[in-house]
Amino acid sequence: MILIHTPSPKEVAAYLQLFRAALPQQVFISLEEMHDPALVEYVVTWGPPVGLFASLGNLKAVFALGAGVDKLLARDDLSPALPIYRLLDGGMAPQMAEYVRFGVLSYQRHMDIYRRQQAAGVWKMLAPRLPGEVQVGVLGLGEIGRAVAQALAADGYAVSGWSRTPRQLDGINCLFGDDGLAELLAGSDVLACVLPSTPETRGLLNAERLASLPAGAMLINAGRGDLLDEEALLAQLDSGHLRCAQLDVFASEPLPADSRLWQHPAVTVTPHIAAITLRSQAVEQIVANLARLRAGEEGQGKVVRERGY
Ligand code: NDP
């Protein structure tokens, strides 16, 4: 038996319909339909209720309906021995590439400055800047970060990327490690973060690293909110060292009403929408993974708990 749960009953209904159509011989249930927790072998979930996993004594694996698993790994009702599989792309990579390209293009074409000029009734042309003159640093070169970096390179930007282990990508200056990060930050007119939240990455974008970006740089954060020191960002924007920021993820979500980020003229706030799981792709991927597990093979997208992603 496979339990499907997300906080939205409408979404659960949509997933149940897709899973049941894809695997008619398999029993899929919602939480409301679960009468005997001992029969549940797999859970497909996003935002499971507290304590759910403790009640499922015969669970074999968890399938996350997203790419980031920081919230799942932080739970204390999930046995460390239980495998977690997350989505690889799941339709999110092209959306994330759009989200970051939008920010980079706005920066290249000075749209943030023109918006502020408009608010002040100022008619002033700025010198145009070509894509090749804008250096973009992408933090994270995984399933999603790779697609972002490659889309930006195809647009003509000068792209560097940063990962934990060495990577090689055509047209991207790939860097890793502490030295690689320092080099990338110093050379990024736009820094785009699509890192996971892990014990190593939390708080990465602190005051010192933000200050090491070139004057007039932009920050895009679509990874996770706890990677960024929001007060340090506000200080850099207030001082004028950083020009603008486009933020999709926040230390606390929804972004609290009293956060200064809401009103800051140099900040664009979006409500964690940079990339949304596409249901059909999620179902296709999880069905294929179930087949692998039942054939005794390893599933794809297995989270390595020790590294946190
Ligand atoms: P992957 O696991 O495929 O890739 C993660 C990347 O981050 C890898 O390149 C990895 O390096 C790198 N990385 C991890 N830890 C470190 C570190 N300590 N130092 C340097 N690099 C590191 O993840 P995805 O690309 O699928 O997703 C990335 C994140 O994007 C998700 O975890 C989630 O937080 C966020 N996200 C946000 C969404 C939104 O709507 N805002 C939607 C979807 C995802 P290496 O290559 O060496 O392993």
Side-chain angles (χ1 to χ4, degrees):
M1 194 172 273
I2 300 179
L3 173 66
I4 315 286
H5 184 76
T6 82
S8 154
K10 250 172 102 176
E11 192 175 41
V12 171
Y15 270 119
L16 283 170
Q17 198 177 11
L18 288 170
F19 274 115
R20 285 169 180 160
L23 284 182
Q25 72 283 15
Q26 171 70 54
V27 180
F28 292 95
I29 56 163
S30 66
L31 202 51
E32 291 68 39
E33 294 164 331
M34 182 176 76
H35 301 303
D36 186 356
L39 295 179
V40 174
E41 290 176 289
Y42 299 101
V43 173
V44 176
T45 189
W46 191 252
V50 174
L52 172 71
F53 299 114
S55 68
L56 307 175
N58 292 314
L59 201 55
K60 292 183 178 158
V62 174
F63 296 99
L65 283 168
V69 289
D70 42 298
K71 290 236 164 65
L72 266 182
L73 293 181
R75 293 179 62 119
D76 50 18
D77 60 341
L78 200 53
S79 152
L82 199 68
I84 300 173
Y85 299 91
R86 54 84 178 214
L87 292 180
L88 299 175
D89 181 349
M92 288 176 275
Q95 297 173 63
M96 188 64 86
E98 283 175 357
Y99 183 86
V100 174
R101 288 171 69 215
F102 178 87
V104 175
L105 186 57
S106 302
Y107 176 88
Q108 178 218 329
R109 296 302 307 255
H110 310 304
M111 294 309 283
D112 56 309
I113 301 177
Y114 288 131
R115 252 194 317 274
R116 281 189 257 178
Q117 288 190 181
Q118 181 183 343
V122 173
W123 180 278
K124 184 180 163 203
M125 292 161 124
L126 301 169
R129 207 167 170 185
L130 297 175
E133 296 163 350
V134 177
Q135 304 196 59
V136 187
V138 179
L139 298 178
L141 290 175
E143 295 293 322
I144 293 176
R146 271 199 301 275
V148 169
Q150 283 168 334
L152 290 165
D155 286 341
Y157 297 103
V159 184
S160 296
W162 186 67
S163 51
R164 193 177 55 85
T165 57
R167 300 270 160 193
Q168 270 200 318
L169 291 171
D170 280 352
I172 315 291
N173 174 31
C174 292
L175 302 163
F176 72 100
D178 288 348
D179 291 349
L181 180 60
E183 183 183 335
L184 180 132
L185 293 174
S188 294
D189 299 312
V190 182
L191 181 69
C193 175
V194 280
L195 284 168
S197 167
T198 75
E200 275 185 35
T201 61
R202 284 192 265 280
L204 186 91
L205 299 174
N206 58 20
E208 192 187 335
R209 294 202 177 97
L210 292 174
S212 73
L213 289 164
M218 175 190 198
L219 172 72
I220 300 175
N221 187 18
R224 282 291 181 263
D226 57 10
L227 304 176
L228 171 67
D229 179 339
E230 290 172 359
E231 285 306 318
L233 172 67
L234 282 162
Q236 293 294 339
L237 291 168
D238 288 344
S239 76
H241 178 65
L242 294 186
R243 190 172 108 188
C244 55
Q246 178 179 303
L247 307 174
D248 189 52
V249 287
F250 302 89
S252 175
E253 295 181 11
L255 181 62
D258 62 357
S259 169
R260 273 221 296 138
L261 292 168
W262 279 117
Q263 308 299 340
H264 201 289
V267 177
T268 301
V269 168
T270 53
H272 203 139
I273 45 68
I276 308 295
T277 297
L278 296 187
R279 276 183 214 136
S280 56
Q281 296 202 23
V283 169
E284 197 179 307
Q285 210 174 108
I286 293 169
V287 164
N289 250 355
L290 274 168
R292 283 189 199 97
L293 297 186
R294 292 205 157 129
E297 297 164 19
E298 183 53 279
Q300 289 185 349
K302 188 171 179 187
V303 174
V304 181
R305 287 181 182 244
E306 302 71 53
R307 60 176 203 192
Y309 66 100

